[in-house]
Amino acid sequence: MQQFKKTKLFKVFLITGIFGLLVFLNPKSFFNPVRRGFLFITYPLQKTGYSFSASFVGLRDFLDSIGQLKTENEKLLAQNQQLISENARLHDIEKENVILRDQIGLLPRERFQFEAAGVIGQDPSGLGNWIEINKGSNAGIKEGMAVVVSKGILIGKIQEVNLNSSQVILLTNSKSTVNVMTSQNGAKGVIKGRYGLGIIFDMIMQTDSVNIGDEVITSGISGVVPRGLFVGTVQEVHPSEDHLFQQAVVSTPAQISKLQFVFVIKQNL
Amino acid sequence: MITKKRLLYVVIILGMVIFQKSFVPLFFSGSYLPDAVLMLVLTWTIIDGFEEFLWWAVFAGFLCDLFFYTQIGMHIIIFVFTVYFVSFFSRRFLVEISTNGIFLIFFFIIVVTFFSIIISFFALSLNSESWYEIAKYFSNPKDIFFELLFNGFFSLGLFFIIKKVRKFLSTQ
């Protein structure tokens, strides 16, 4: 026995046993102070590493896109013209909406206070579970706050807050759930992540109508994530495994893996 | 001398963990991300051996678990297995950058990459009900092939860097 205790295999078994138990018990909050300390010290290095990577990616994307610039430009011009006309129409509707709200005594729609943040790290497993941003408790960031890009496309929620950085759990994470609805028919449900395989719009009542191309927005039911944030468009609709609900595959316009800046919704104004 | 060596090891391991978290995901932007820290542990074990590198592997695993928000212990187990497995074979065969040596290094890379995938799968399954989706994610042959390929490149690059570090330390 004494001889065995000196062997490599014994050391391997011992370490694996102790840390295997830790994996199983998963005492999340126990190591948080240590994590915060390390993240605080290495914050400048992480920030530099990410911006260094972003410069490389920018150069690579530029070289890749040279051949496609002409066709992409034509496509964007057409899209731009379409958006200009739609924008003008929406401005008119907005004015009309303000007048009508005023007449029936409704409060104005929600407007948010944004906190701009840079991305300094990503989930290295490739699952696209989370990103890390360079704003933390010293910038007033709190757990559960919604994180958006382009000031309106929801990408996730704040999960863990450190002093000068925060972990954002993305919509593609299986632990992330957000109450949503379709803007066309108001069909309600929740969106869940599928381990880097996309986003699922789940728990849609069989009686509700959901079609391919419908826009999915947050419903604001839980109160944590504000109403009206764009999540994505419906790509596919099918019944759930137990046939009690409908499910839809949602595609988000945000390119999560190439994110460099995001906005945290701190509060409704 | 010992302090200098320890400091250098800490800096390299910490640097590689930050590189894996802040550089690799954006640069590769895909689901097949190379595991630079795993390759560092593998290569360093070939050069340093089991006894000398075991506790450094535990330290590297602990840092990975802290920085990557995974359960504390997951990367430690992967790295400790890597150290044992690699040292078991490298003690019996001469591992160098030669024809046979490169084959053996690629064999190590394949085994430890698959082991890392299996442990990650089990660790994720512990906290999830949708294990089928996790399995589906981890079983994409194209992703695994690219991960192995990039790991191979990383490992060969690190082999030369660590050799230089050893040479630098021995001249001090």
Side-chain angles (χ1 to χ4, degrees), chain A residues 4-250:
Chain A
F4 179 66
K5 278 183 182 174
K6 286 178 188 166
T7 59
K8 287 179 185 177
L9 203 59
F10 176 74
K11 284 179 188 168
V12 171
F13 274 134
L14 189 71
I15 297 169
T16 310
I18 293 167
F19 289 105
L21 196 68
L22 260 183
V23 171
F24 187 71
L25 296 172
N26 195 18
K28 269 183 191 167
S29 51
F30 186 74
F31 290 98
N32 278 355
V34 189
R35 174 179 289 131
R36 281 178 192 145
F38 270 108
L39 292 177
F40 179 73
I41 297 163
T42 58
Y43 168 77
L45 289 172
Q46 290 192 63
K47 209 174 158 184
T48 314
Y50 204 84
S51 51
F52 202 57
S53 182
S55 328
F56 271 111
V57 171
L59 183 70
R60 193 185 59 197
D61 286 352
F62 170 72
L63 293 172
D64 281 352
S65 67
I66 289 172
Q68 304 159 0
L69 279 179
K70 195 173 172 277
T71 44
E72 203 174 310
N73 197 26
E74 281 167 4
K75 211 169 89 181
L76 286 173
L77 269 172
Q79 204 177 27
N80 192 30
Q81 281 168 350
Q82 194 191 336
L83 287 172
I84 288 169
S85 68
E86 199 178 326
N87 204 20
R89 189 176 60 85
L90 289 173
H91 269 303
D92 187 42
I93 293 171
E94 191 186 4
K95 268 187 213 161
E96 193 182 75
N97 190 32
V98 171
I99 296 165
L100 288 171
R101 275 178 173 272
D102 190 43
Q103 281 177 1
I104 58 170
L106 268 177
L107 286 170
R109 276 193 75 114
E110 290 172 309
R111 282 161 60 208
F112 318 115
Q113 187 195 343
F114 294 103
E115 179 76 42
V119 182
I120 56 165
Q122 282 188 34
D123 181 6
S125 70
L127 285 165
N129 272 330
W130 54 267
I131 56 168
E132 198 170 80
I133 57 169
N134 66 351
K135 292 283 165 75
S137 56
N138 57 6
I141 307 295
K142 287 181 185 136
E143 265 179 45
M145 284 179 170
V147 180
V148 296
V149 287
S150 312
K151 294 201 173 181
I153 302 167
L154 181 74
I155 58 155
K157 288 189 283 186
I158 299 286
Q159 170 84 355
E160 207 174 300
V161 185
N162 308 308
L163 192 65
N164 51 9
S165 64
S166 305
Q167 185 199 21
V168 179
I169 180 169
L170 298 172
L171 295 179
T172 44
N173 191 316
S174 68
K175 285 176 194 161
S176 157
T177 53
V178 178
N179 291 300
V180 291
M181 63 184 189
T182 57
S183 58
Q184 278 78 7
N185 303 314
K188 289 185 175 61
V190 288
I191 47 160
K192 291 192 264 185
R194 294 195 309 166
Y195 288 101
L197 298 167
I199 305 168
I200 279 282
F201 180 12
D202 201 4
M203 314 283 277
I204 311 164
M205 301 286 281
Q206 287 285 10
T207 49
D208 285 346
S209 160
V210 181
N211 304 306
I212 293 168
D214 279 1
E215 288 170 350
V216 180
I217 56 168
T218 53
S219 63
I221 287 175
S222 66
V224 183
V225 176
R227 182 171 176 255
L229 297 174
F230 184 68
V231 173
T233 44
V234 172
Q235 295 290 303
E236 190 189 315
V237 186
H238 54 81
S240 63
E241 275 176 30
D242 51 17
H243 290 268
L244 289 173
F245 297 98
Q246 294 181 82
Q247 281 183 337
V249 177
V250 175

